[in-house]
Amino acid sequence: MSAPPLPTAFAVSRWGEDPWSRGSWSLIGRHGSAADRIQLGTPVGTRLRIAGEATHPTRSGMTHGAYEQGIEAAAWAAEFGHRRVAVLGAGMAGLGAARELAHRGLDTQVWEARDRVGGRTAGIDLDGFTFDLGANWLQQYDQNVLARLAELLQLTTTATDFTSPLVLGAADHTSGLDQALRDRLATAAEGSSVADVLTEWTANPHPWTPAAIRRFIDAEITMDAGVPLEWLSARHGFEAGVGEGDQWISGSYRLLVDHLAQGLDIRLEHPVHTIRVSTDGVTLTGEAGEFSADAVIVTAPVAVLAADVIEFSPPLPAEHRVALGHLGMGRVEKVILRFAERSWPQSPSGYYRLHGPDEGSVSEWLDATSADGKPTLVGLFAGPWLERIWAGPDAEVAAAASQIFHAAGLYTRPSWQM
Ligand SMILES: Cc1cc2nc3c(=O)[nH]c(=O)nc-3n(C[C@H](O)[C@H](O)[C@H](O)COP(=O)(O)OP(=O)(O)OC[C@H]3O[C@@H](n4cnc5c(N)ncnc54)[C@H](O)[C@@H]3O)c2cc1C
């Protein structure tokens, strides 16, 4: 076989190693449920509230869920009559909170650890165009408040049909698997994991094969979660999201984020180390100094909260800490590859799925060539092998990812439509 083409430009995400995210999005562990999301977002007294994608009971792990939670937290602060509110984090939740506070005439200041706004949305300039290393799609498009904003701003968006990817490298009989998986997860015992369900199922797989079941779970769950299946809740870990008319933004989420950040008082490179809450107010402390306010909205991701990067004084209540312990974050990473020529088969849906080489190794690919006409692939990697592929420098990751995509055999029938 001839050597696969090398990308002419590339970018690689590192969300798992990033100290301000420590993972990709929040998930419910085997001992948790959506009630933990609600508990985490329950105000702590009258001056502190945690908001962000992790606190949305039905739209977690998505930008519009984060944004909505920010707005809700701002409304809560305003209803208590606070006049000056601090916001920790300038991701979608923080931007939603700060805009709503400003809209209601409150004083607000946002402290952001990074040198940019957007959090887990991250538009990067690559070879003359801007692509997303974080969030890409406007999910649940019809009910997505940010999709309405994108329409208002007349952004160019492209629909992706996730239900009919071109599947490379696996030919399985999968008819009926989707419903069977949903049924098994819905009836699994409380406290059991997806791995427990998989073990029981593959012991008696008829009419499918164990390998087909495993690959289906890789595609449906591992790819969407990026955590060991032993950790993920069977009953509650498979949450709503991908595939409901999703559209990706040509030119990146930065177009939305920059619009939302306009006119706000955002202090970049202001990591918060301590949050003190007293009867008189709150004080945020970091290397950049102190900021005092009547209340604070904290939008740090759950893995950052769990790592005790921020000291709360007094400590978060036991109920919040228990909820935090039931949630976690997985690792799904992205690679963007630009090529001189397009050398891969056309997928009618613009989407590809690859299985292999090993069990649990899965990647999904978006053909983003339509963005500016230059051949471009956006790959998402998850599963046990991600740690291995992402171990080296970016150039090695990009070369390995390109090799994986180009080495996959072409299988022409979309497995989910068989
Ligand atoms: C690879 C990838 C792909 C994704 N794809 C999609 C997608 O297609 N569609 C979708 O809807 N969602 C997607 N998501 C999820 C989406 O990006 C997040 O759900 C959403 O952006 C989270 O917003 P947030 O405001 O809750 O958190 P964040 O965006 O993480 O914002 C929190 C902010 O707090 C800051 N911060 C943390 N600690 C501190 C501190 N101590 N002091 C000060 N600041 C601090 C962080 O720097 C960050 O800016 C994806 C995520 C990843 C990683």
Side-chain angles (χ1 to χ4, degrees), residues 168-169 215 218 354-363 381 385 388-389 400 404 407-408:
L168 305 173
R215 274 197 283 268
D218 283 346
L354 262 69
H355 292 278
D358 311 316
E359 193 176 298
S361 55
V362 59
S363 61
F381 281 73
W385 67 329
R388 207 168 68 226
I389 299 172
I404 286 164

Side-chain angles (χ1 to χ4, degrees), residues 272-343:
V272 175
H273 298 158
T274 311
I275 298 178
R276 289 210 164 68
V277 182
S278 72
T279 45
D280 301 332
V282 299
T283 305
L284 271 58
T285 312
E287 284 144 31
E290 276 192 3
F291 180 69
S292 292
D294 300 327
V296 60
I297 296 169
V298 177
T299 72
V302 286
V304 174
L305 293 173
D308 290 333
V309 173
I310 305 161
E311 184 196 336
F312 289 90
S313 173
L316 289 175
E319 298 83 358
H320 287 69
R321 282 183 278 129
V322 169
L324 198 54
H326 289 168
L327 302 172
M329 288 175 78
R331 187 170 180 202
V332 177
E333 300 284 4
K334 254 189 185 177
V335 58
I336 302 166
L337 306 174
R338 306 267 271 168
F339 295 93
E341 282 175 15
R342 197 171 179 290
S343 60

